[in-house]
Amino acid sequence: MHSILLFFYIFCLAWAKDIIPQYDAELGVTHVFVTNITIIDPSESRQQEEYSRLQSPLHAFHRYKERNLAETKRWRDWYKKIPKKQRSIVESTVKYTRKLNTVEHLFETNEQLAHEIVKHGKQFYNISQTELDQFIKENEKKGVNTDKTSVSQAMKHFVRDWADEGYEERQDAFPCVLGTLANMSRTSEQPLRVLLPGAGLGRLAHEVNVLGGFEVTMNEWSMYMNLAYRYLSSLSSANGKIFHPYIDWWSHQVTTADLQRSVSFPDTLVSPSVLLVEGDFTTVFAEDAGKYDVIVTLFFIDTARNLVSYFENIHRLLRPGGKWINLGPLLYGSAPFLQLSLDEIIALTEHLGFKFQETDASCGDITIPGMAVRGKEVAYARNGKGLSKNAYQAQFWVARKN
């Protein structure tokens, strides 16, 4: 009965936007949980906003090549400003024009991947090509530019989360989280419910699932990430796709071959037992108070417009005695309502009803004497062969809900 009601609920939500969920006959369940674009709302402007949140990323992936080739054209134009005699020297020694030509060709190769993401996204969310074409036409008539950066970030997460090349970066971030979870008492008959908001392309969620004894739910707001993840979930062979992730950033390169190298993904396949719930973390779990045994926030809390809302929602969703595991920096994004230092975060969350617990010294040194929070260097979005090493002093803690 519960499954029937769940399917009916999802179908009703989908009907409100003419989006029909896909049904997996083998598993006997639907995997569509599209709460961020299927909200029943009498306001036309609200519906249009949610519809645009899906169409805009599809538009951006669709225009991948055009946006990036516009960039290489700028690079060509800059190169032409060099005196002809100097260009002759450059061409005879390093063949810079050939480098530009090769990168343009590789952008066309990457475009094939971007278009596959669009194709799968249209199928998954039941968006016709006619609808997308009309949306693109209207937006471009208004002069609306697509979000090139969000497309690039989503696609580069194929490397961070699902390629051998991202292994060392994952090894920086995952062990303390997974080790804490592995030591929790649970059984396959009575699994612990784990929620991972801001999950991106979900590798940590799937690593938690591999531990066994956990019922894993991941949550992501960005439709750029969700489109990439839905595509990833459709793949049926390991390392069957290639991507050239570094060609849009020419700084800090050792060799041109490194700049132009490809990366294969996924190194392992996505498990259908991990549930993705799309939408705003602070609103899509409105009916789930006290549902979760553990909430894991990885590189997440500093994405908040309102940190207090994040903290209150984490507390609300956990059962009494539930654990909050966090690892990440405090790199605040655009227009946050407040920006708290670490000591302020500790004081505020303790006031809200959390008690910070002692953790293993292998997870870093104590950041503030007398407080059970540790800091460790964690790489993020790093080019392993580059000359720049991007990393954060990420803060790790385990806090218990009183």
Side-chain angles (χ1 to χ4, degrees), residues 24 36 66 92 199 219 273 318-319 333-334 364:
D24 189 322
N36 62 326
E66 287 89 338
S92 65
N219 162 241
S273 61
L318 283 171
R319 64 165 175 79
S334 58

Side-chain angles (χ1 to χ4, degrees), residues 90-284:
V90 172
E91 290 301 320
S92 65
T93 54
V94 301
K95 297 179 175 57
Y96 194 76
T97 298
R98 184 173 69 182
K99 179 178 180 177
L100 285 162
N101 292 342
T102 300
V103 166
E104 284 186 341
H105 172 70
L106 295 179
F107 276 129
E108 292 175 353
T109 301
N110 283 356
E111 182 196 32
Q112 296 175 19
L113 173 61
H115 280 191
E116 287 181 17
I117 293 171
V118 172
K119 181 179 178 181
H120 182 76
K122 289 188 303 178
Q123 178 184 1
F124 188 88
Y125 296 103
N126 197 33
I127 301 294
S128 71
Q129 186 62 50
T130 301
E131 287 178 281
L132 180 58
D133 288 343
Q134 183 62 30
F135 180 87
I136 292 173
K137 181 180 178 180
E138 291 174 359
N139 267 21
E140 295 184 349
K141 185 177 179 180
K142 297 174 185 175
V144 176
N145 284 325
T146 59
D147 189 343
K148 176 174 168 283
T149 300
S150 292
V151 169
S152 176
Q153 289 176 346
M155 294 176 73
K156 286 182 178 181
H157 269 68
F158 288 136
V159 181
R160 173 174 165 78
D161 274 18
W162 295 96
D164 289 338
E165 186 148 336
Y167 176 77
E168 290 187 7
E169 192 165 309
R170 297 193 295 272
Q171 282 299 105
D172 279 353
F174 289 4
C176 288
V177 174
L178 295 175
T180 301
L181 289 166
N183 288 327
M184 291 183 176
S185 177
R186 78 267 184 206
T187 66
S188 56
E189 292 77 21
Q190 293 183 312
L192 297 180
R193 290 177 171 175
V194 182
L195 173 63
L196 297 93
L201 293 195
R203 183 56 180 264
L204 179 59
H206 286 266
E207 293 293 333
V208 174
N209 188 61
V210 169
L211 292 175
F214 293 104
E215 182 182 296
V216 183
T217 300
M218 55 182 277
N219 162 241
E220 177 58 50
W221 179 85
S222 168
M223 282 307 301
Y224 295 87
M225 291 292 183
N226 290 333
L227 282 168
Y229 179 80
R230 296 301 188 186
Y231 169 74
L232 188 72
S233 300
S234 73
L235 301 180
S236 58
S237 60
N239 291 316
K241 299 296 177 180
I242 64 167
F243 173 49
H244 301 270
Y246 307 110
I247 54 176
D248 60 354
W249 181 246
W250 289 24
S251 299
H252 311 303
Q253 301 291 341
V254 176
T255 69
T256 297
D258 289 341
L259 166 73
Q260 298 172 355
R261 75 187 186 275
S262 65
V263 173
S264 299
F265 73 94
D267 61 330
T268 188
L269 297 181
V270 169
S271 169
S273 61
V274 174
L275 174 67
L276 169 61
V277 176
E278 302 179 8
D280 184 346
F281 169 63
T282 63
T283 60
V284 296

Side-chain angles (χ1 to χ4, degrees), residues 66-82:
E66 287 89 338
R67 289 299 306 275
N68 283 285
L69 291 187
E71 188 77 358
T72 58
K73 182 182 183 303
R74 286 201 308 129
W75 299 341
R76 285 185 187 277
D77 292 342
W78 289 338
Y79 181 43
K80 290 175 183 177
K81 295 182 183 298
I82 296 177

